[in-house]
Amino acid sequence: MSVLGRAGETGAGRAEESPAAGRQAYATYLKPRLARMLAAFGLDLSFHRAEGDRLFTLDGGEEREVLDFIGGFGASLLGHNHPELIEVARRALDGRRPFNAQASIRGPAGLLARRLSERLQRITGRDYRATLASTGAEAVEAAIKHAELEMSLRNDRLLESLEERLRMLRLRLRDGRSFLPEGFLAAAAERLGVGRIATLEALLEHLRREAAEALGQEPRFLAVCGSFHGKSTGSLKLTYSRLYRHPWRRIGISTVFIPADDGEAVEREMERARVAFHTVAFEPDGRVELREQSLVNVSACFVEPIQGEGGIHELGPRLLEALRRAADEHGFPLVIDEIQSGMGRTGAFLALEAAGVRGDYYLLSKSLGGGLAKVSALLVDAARYRPDFGVLHTSTFAEDDYASLIALRVLEILERDNDALIRRCRETGAALLGRLRQLRARHPRQLREVRGRGLMIGVELEPQIMSPSPLLRVLSEQNLLSYLAAGYLLRVHGIRVAPTLSERATLRIEPSAYVGREECDRLLAALEDLLVRLEASDTRQLVSYLVAGRRSGPPPPAPAVERRPPPPRPVPSAAGEVPRVAFLAHFSEPADLHAWEPRLAGFDDADCERFLDRTRGLLQPFVLDEAEVRSLSGERARVTVIGVPFTPEQAMESMRQGADWSLDLVRQGVELARQLGSSVVGLGGHTSIVTDNCRRIVEDELTLTSGNSLTVAAAWEASRQAAVGLGLDLGACRLGIAGGAGNVGATLAELAAEEVGGIVLIGRPGAGRFLRPVAERLYRAALERLRQQPAAAEARGLAAALAASAGDLLPSLAADEAAGEILYRRLAAALGERAPVRIAHSMEALRDCQLVVSATNSARPVIGAEHVGDGPVVICDVAVPQDVDSAVQRERPRALVIRGGMVRAPLGQQVEMPAMRLDGGQLWGCLAETILLGFTRQQGHFSYGELTAANVRRIRALAAEHGFEIELKQD
């Protein structure tokens, strides 16, 4: 065997890798974002076989059949792998037909062009010339180029005509047949809007420049609002959706979009597109005059008779007739894009036939290749066709024998028995549309509209913005409900549909012409099941497929859920109204998902994690809760809690990978807060961490805060209260701080140092370079307090410990930055673990601590029972999610675990925010700080960047002034 043979064999072996391997490769090396979106809604199947209206997958181990109602986005009109087309393809391959034979006469391509021209001639009465290509977008590009070639040649002729008139003027003046009237040059200068024109030659040069400028303007194209003509550079600019156009807004042609329901807009646009220049005219008496000449600068107008990716919207005859009149009057071609609607799918060879309007160009693709070949065609009215176009415009892969032979057989199949298959599309489509409309009549609040013709059908879902299910509301608001519906139909019913690209609330239904009653029955039954579950807000069942397949047994039973109406949508505040503040929160643990969406309460923690992982990076920030809070002094603030859809694990993974998607979500959340009229925005939990304590948000209008100043104040005060309650002497206590290098931990250590006798700063291995400056700062502050005391005997906390352990050293230390470094180094060397402040890299160091505060950014518990001593100990857990494992309370009965950073709302108010999982009047310190800044109408950022003890004391005083009380919440 040759080396080439062995290499080929190896390649074949790799091509047969598992669907899972192929999916991973696709997601990594080809389309990561698309793969993530498909996976989020369970649409990430790999298909290994296709036949008719069925696809077959091996995902899950056994072959499973899927009924395909997407039809290759309209390309599989004859179904998958039509046997006659397979035979044509086989004969072409067995016969070694050339794929690449450029610069030769290619017979099958010529026959295909003739066949298409003849078919259109029977419809329109016109003769056509074809340009073949590989894709629909390429056919659109060819149409753009041919239209612009027409326009360029017309403008060249106008310039040549002007030059001819100017030469004639010289001749007529020379031989006396014409003359310039008195003041002609001065009048010409005024008319042209220029300064003085001294000579005839100067006038002629002005006329040349004016005409060249008018006829050299950027070409303008017309399309219809809602259109979709492709994603290549030119076709993209004819596509209406901003989602696809905006990233490439600086390149491509200039397009004006005509409203689909405004026929008068066509004439208005004609006038806006009009350009004018002057030429000379000769009167019968010999006088020379200037005459204005104008034309409409429109190179072409592109129209889909039925907008496919725009949501299956059929254009009305009024607009089509107006465009036809304008094209006839002003000479530009009307380009009919039948790439998706043509070839019989709508019950006629061309969808435009029903309107009785003729096009100048026609575009065909998709079904032309029968689902096996990549082929498209531009057909131009022979009276307009420019022969040079076939030389100027070429394509490497166009006109190949393989695609041309298949397309010829497609046309033959469609035309058999007097277009029997096209009639079948019309009849089957009419029956299916009728039954879908009956379905809509039964479920009007879930199915907004059924549109289309033949087998080009759109089913538009009604947004579920009034659903009692918050998840369904958010999916609707963010145009993702149709993806959930498509995933549900695929995974639960084995039926494949998909949203249209530009109008995502619409599911496309485009099966093959051979689809039967049984398949339609299956589709209708599946859609009815979907609509019934939407009507019942049966969210658990609608999303169970996203976590199924990895658990044994049936899905958990649906919990009983109170049908509460959705909260009112926040309305931006007007001047003088109650100030509005916003607080950004995220899902910290599975229970948060349950609290937000009670219909998922039957999911276990693993199910919730899988669901949140699937939706990672797809959902945008959304409103979770809203409430009004009053202060003791009479101030009010309206707080909106905005959900930022990531988990702590996802946020930390994003930071480790250097990706900004979690940061971008926080920025979107801040922008949503702005749109809702908020003046203050608080960043809670990991929304603060991924923004580096707000510093990565550039904001000069809103007040930003991490809320951590009040969190620190509340955590330390609660810890003190708990310690006193256990009878602990703070001056004799050693405080262990897990996360001591962090903003919260370091600031809390600074406050606690005034009362506790020793501090252990704990960080992960390698964190010493961050922990040591904190330790040195603590020593420096203790030294300063000692020097301010009238008598050393009055010293408390760390200052007292320092006086006892380093009394001889203190007088020699200068009051500068070096003092902290010297104290840390000398005491660590002399006392080791007995030093007043020490650094540790293991939670084992907590066993010697009577007070523990944990404030890490870990996504999982870091403090277990093995890290806690047997004696009385207060553990204040400030972290979200919690740092302390539940085993601590079971195995260390003398340990008191409290939730740190909690406060209680003023005036005994019960602040109803179910999604926050807060009991009655309880508030997170960071949330309470956000509200406080709203009460005081704070200008400028507050807990922004590094925290300061001064700000902690300031916010604590404000909290007391407005009636907030520190909450001692025991876990």
Side-chain angles (χ1 to χ4, degrees):
M1 181 180 290
S2 70
V3 173
L4 181 61
R6 288 195 297 273
E9 209 169 61
T10 302
R14 288 180 62 83
E16 296 301 323
E17 290 184 18
S18 69
R23 182 187 298 110
Q24 181 61 42
Y26 189 97
T28 303
Y29 299 105
L30 198 57
K31 293 187 176 180
R33 173 68 178 177
L34 176 62
R36 160 59 62 180
M37 191 162 193
L38 293 175
F41 295 102
L43 298 170
D44 55 334
L45 289 181
S46 296
F47 298 105
H48 73 284
R49 186 164 66 87
E51 184 177 345
D53 282 296
R54 287 166 171 77
L55 292 161
F56 299 87
T57 178
L58 288 173
D59 284 26
E62 297 182 1
E63 185 176 76
R64 186 163 67 94
E65 172 196 298
V66 171
L67 186 56
D68 184 16
F69 272 87
I70 296 178
F73 289 2
S76 299
L77 182 64
L78 301 185
H80 295 285
N81 294 312
H82 190 287
E84 287 191 48
L85 302 184
I86 291 289
E87 183 58 31
V88 171
R90 183 177 290 112
R91 286 205 305 270
L93 295 173
D94 290 345
R96 306 296 194 265
R97 298 301 293 254
F99 276 88
N100 301 304
Q102 297 86 345
S104 69
I105 300 299
R106 310 179 84 171
L111 294 174
L112 175 59
R114 184 182 72 182
R115 190 76 165 269
L116 290 170
S117 178
E118 290 171 347
R119 181 74 199 213
L120 264 62
Q121 188 176 43
R122 293 201 296 272
I123 297 170
T124 67
R126 302 294 185 99
D127 192 19
Y128 293 85
R129 298 294 177 264
T131 298
L132 299 182
S134 299
T135 67
E138 192 179 352
V140 174
E141 296 288 345
I144 292 170
K145 290 175 66 177
H146 191 280
E148 181 54 22
L149 178 61
E150 277 197 70
M151 175 69 91
S152 296
L153 292 174
R154 182 196 67 176
N155 290 351
D156 288 347
R157 287 194 298 271
L158 288 171
L159 289 172
E160 291 168 2
S161 175
L162 173 65
E163 194 60 49
E164 186 176 292
R165 302 282 295 177
L166 299 183
R167 286 197 298 269
M168 186 180 296
L169 172 62
R170 290 196 193 93
L171 290 174
R172 292 178 67 102
L173 291 174
R174 188 182 305 165
D175 60 22
R177 285 182 293 159
S178 293
F179 66 93
L180 301 180
E182 183 71 25
F184 176 79
L185 292 179
E190 183 177 352
R191 187 165 184 176
L192 295 175
V194 298
R196 177 173 175 271
I197 297 178
T199 66
L200 176 63
E201 288 305 317
L203 170 63
L204 302 188
E205 188 57 33
H206 276 298
L207 294 177
R208 291 188 187 98
R209 284 202 301 268
E210 181 192 49
E213 182 178 340
L215 298 175
Q217 288 187 22
E218 180 184 27
R220 182 179 306 203
F221 289 79
L222 303 182
V224 180
C225 294
S227 62
F228 185 98
H229 296 284
K231 296 181 181 177
S232 55
T233 301
S235 64
L236 182 64
K237 300 308 283 282
L238 298 167
T239 292
Y240 182 69
S241 173
R242 186 178 185 275
L243 173 68
Y244 300 115
R245 281 190 296 116
H246 186 71
W248 293 278
R249 59 194 176 279
R250 298 195 309 139
I251 60 175
I253 61 176
S254 175
T255 302
V256 174
F257 292 96
I258 303 291
D261 57 354
D262 186 357
E264 284 72 26
V266 177
E267 273 309 307
R268 291 197 299 271
E269 188 50 45
M270 294 303 102
E271 288 309 307
R272 278 196 288 266
R274 189 175 295 279
V275 297
F277 59 95
H278 290 83
T279 186
V280 293
F282 308 106
E283 297 297 327
D285 63 358
R287 282 181 299 113
V288 177
E289 287 192 354
L290 286 185
R291 294 269 177 84
E292 184 177 86
Q293 188 169 348
S294 70
L295 70 155
V296 168
N297 181 34
V298 172
S299 292
C301 177
F302 284 74
V303 175
E304 300 164 279
I306 301 177
Q307 294 180 337
E309 304 308 329
I312 318 295
H313 289 279
E314 187 167 357
L315 297 186
R318 184 182 178 192
L319 175 66
L320 293 170
E321 290 165 0
L323 291 173
R324 180 68 269 171
R325 286 194 302 272
D328 289 338
E329 181 179 351
H330 302 293
F332 60 82
L334 183 60
V335 184
I336 308 302
D337 183 342
E338 296 264 9
I339 288 169
Q340 188 168 171
S341 60
M343 300 293 297
R345 175 164 289 282
T346 62
F349 188 80
L350 298 175
L352 194 66
E353 293 179 45
V357 174
R358 171 187 55 81
D360 300 300
Y361 299 3
Y362 289 92
L363 305 175
L364 297 171
S365 188
K366 290 190 180 290
S367 297
L368 182 61
L372 281 183
K374 301 174 179 67
V375 61
S376 61
L378 158 68
L379 291 122
V380 178
D381 189 326
R384 308 187 72 111
Y385 183 73
R386 298 294 177 258
D388 285 351
F389 187 72
V391 176
L392 296 172
H393 175 84
T394 58
S395 173
T396 299
F397 295 108
E399 302 180 9
D400 64 287
D401 287 8
Y402 174 86
S404 299
L405 290 168
I406 288 176
L408 282 165
R409 181 58 63 89
V410 169
L411 291 170
E412 178 188 328
I413 293 170
L414 290 176
E415 293 174 351
R416 280 179 194 157
D417 302 324
N418 194 27
D419 291 349
L421 200 58
I422 294 177
R423 288 198 306 277
R424 180 182 173 117
C425 289
R426 181 166 61 249
E427 294 162 2
T428 303
L432 182 55
L433 276 163
R435 297 178 70 190
L436 285 167
R437 286 173 178 137
Q438 292 172 6
L439 190 64
R440 181 191 175 277
R442 293 195 295 274
H443 304 281
R445 291 192 298 275
Q446 285 68 49
L447 196 51
R448 171 175 285 183
E449 192 174 0
V450 175
R451 300 184 293 269
R453 191 167 7 122
L455 292 176
M456 186 175 178
I457 299 172
V459 173
E460 184 178 354
L461 298 175
E462 185 73 42
Q464 300 300 292
I465 55 175
M466 295 306 294
S467 170
S469 164
L471 177 57
L472 293 183
R473 292 198 303 271
V474 168
L475 290 174
S476 291
E477 290 168 355
Q478 299 188 11
N479 280 323
L480 294 172
L481 183 65
S482 58
Y483 287 96
L484 177 68
Y488 179 79
L489 292 172
L490 176 63
R491 294 289 185 162
V492 176
H493 292 280
I495 292 177
R496 191 167 180 255
V497 297
T500 55
L501 294 181
S502 296
E503 191 174 281
R504 292 183 177 177
T506 300
L507 295 171
R508 73 173 82 237
I509 297 175
E510 298 188 51
S512 83
Y514 299 104
V515 70
R517 174 74 184 224
E518 179 185 349
E519 289 87 354
C520 291
D521 288 346
R522 277 184 60 187
L523 171 69
L524 289 159
L527 282 172
E528 180 122 43
D529 173 56
L530 169 70
L531 298 174
V532 166
R533 296 194 183 281
L534 285 174
E535 188 171 13
S537 296
D538 189 358
T539 312
R540 181 197 63 89
Q541 187 60 38
L542 286 169
V543 303
S544 283
Y545 77 90
L546 291 174
V547 298
R550 299 187 178 101
R551 61 144 76 93
S552 59
V561 178
E562 177 188 356
R563 288 185 64 87
R564 291 181 300 175
R569 179 71 177 172
V571 177
S573 299
E577 292 186 2
V578 174
R580 183 181 292 279
V581 303
F583 182 73
L584 273 55
H586 58 82
F587 295 119
S588 298
E589 51 192 57
D592 291 340
L593 183 60
H594 295 153
W596 174 59
E597 176 52 276
R599 287 155 186 80
L600 300 183
F603 282 13
D604 60 24
D605 287 359
D607 291 335
C608 291
E609 288 183 8
R610 282 192 287 268
F611 177 79
L612 293 172
D613 183 62
R614 275 188 178 272
T615 57
R616 172 176 64 87
L618 292 177
L619 291 176
Q620 297 173 352
F622 52 87
V623 174
L624 272 173
D625 277 318
E626 188 177 34
E628 185 168 295
V629 183
R630 290 174 292 116
S631 104
L632 184 64
S633 60
E635 298 291 340
R636 291 186 298 161
R638 192 76 181 168
V639 57
T640 301
V641 180
I642 295 174
V644 181
F646 58 60
T647 66
E649 293 94 332
Q650 292 167 353
M652 298 310 294
E653 179 189 1
S654 171
M655 294 176 68
R656 284 193 297 270
Q657 293 176 347
D660 279 343
W661 68 263
S662 59
L663 176 61
D664 288 341
L665 282 176
V666 177
R667 287 172 173 152
Q668 291 173 24
V670 172
E671 185 57 35
L672 176 56
R674 186 197 315 278
Q675 293 169 9
L676 294 174
S678 301
S679 58
V680 179
V681 181
L683 307 186
H686 281 64
T687 68
S688 170
I689 293 170
V690 301
T691 61
D692 188 20
N693 298 305
C694 305
R695 283 180 288 204
R696 296 189 69 185
I697 304 292
V698 179
E699 179 55 59
D700 64 343
E701 295 178 350
L702 305 178
T703 293
L704 298 182
T705 182
S706 67
N708 284 332
S709 292
L710 188 54
T711 297
V712 168
W716 175 235
E717 193 164 327
S719 298
R720 290 177 70 257
Q721 291 177 16
V724 171
L726 287 183
L728 298 176
D729 177 7
L730 289 177
C733 285
R734 183 179 292 274
L735 168 65
I737 300 182
N743 217 2
V744 170
T747 310
L748 194 143
E750 187 175 349
L751 289 178
E754 297 180 9
E755 299 186 66
V756 299
I759 295 177
V760 182
L761 302 172
I762 304 174
R764 63 175 60 93
R769 60 194 180 98
F770 302 111
L771 291 168
R772 183 156 174 171
V774 177
E776 293 174 359
R777 190 162 63 245
L778 293 175
Y779 274 131
R780 212 165 38 245
L783 177 61
E784 182 64 26
R785 285 195 299 276
L786 273 179
R787 288 174 170 166
Q788 292 175 355
Q789 298 290 338
E794 298 179 10
R796 296 185 305 122
L798 200 60
L802 184 62
S805 58
D808 296 339
L809 176 63
L810 299 182
S812 65
L813 292 176
D816 58 19
E817 293 290 319
E821 188 274 333
I822 294 170
L823 283 170
Y824 175 81
R825 178 166 42 81
R826 296 258 186 107
L827 292 175
L831 301 175
E833 293 186 358
R834 292 182 295 109
V837 181
R838 70 183 183 91
I839 292 172
H841 300 293
S842 170
M843 295 298 170
E844 296 290 337
L846 296 176
R847 292 186 61 84
D848 297 328
C849 297
Q850 297 76 43
L851 279 174
V852 174
V853 174
S854 191
T856 79
N857 57 17
S858 173
R860 302 288 180 185
V862 296
I863 299 177
E866 68 276 14
H867 303 133
V868 180
D870 295 325
V873 58
V874 172
I875 305 175
C876 179
D877 193 343
V878 186
V880 178
Q882 292 176 243
D883 275 344
V884 181
D885 192 273
S886 59
V888 171
Q889 291 179 305
R890 294 194 306 270
E891 300 179 24
R892 295 292 183 268
R894 301 184 70 186
L896 174 62
V897 181
I898 63 174
R899 293 295 288 146
M902 303 294 294
V903 300
R904 185 160 288 281
L907 304 172
Q909 293 170 87
Q910 302 296 300
V911 183
E912 294 294 330
M913 290 189 288
M916 296 294 289
R917 290 201 297 137
L918 297 170
D919 298 334
Q922 288 181 344
L923 298 172
W924 296 107
C926 45
L927 173 57
E929 179 174 315
T930 305
I931 296 169
L932 262 173
L933 297 180
F935 286 160
T936 59
R937 300 178 188 267
Q938 166 78 17
Q939 298 293 316
H941 306 320
F942 195 76
S943 296
Y944 183 94
E946 290 189 12
L947 301 180
T948 66
N951 266 355
V952 172
R953 295 185 179 97
R954 176 185 167 199
I955 201 70
R956 177 64 186 97
L958 277 175
E961 179 183 331
H962 286 275
F964 289 96
E965 298 177 359
I966 302 304
E967 173 81 354
L968 179 57
K969 176 177 171 58
Q970 183 175 348
D971 272 2

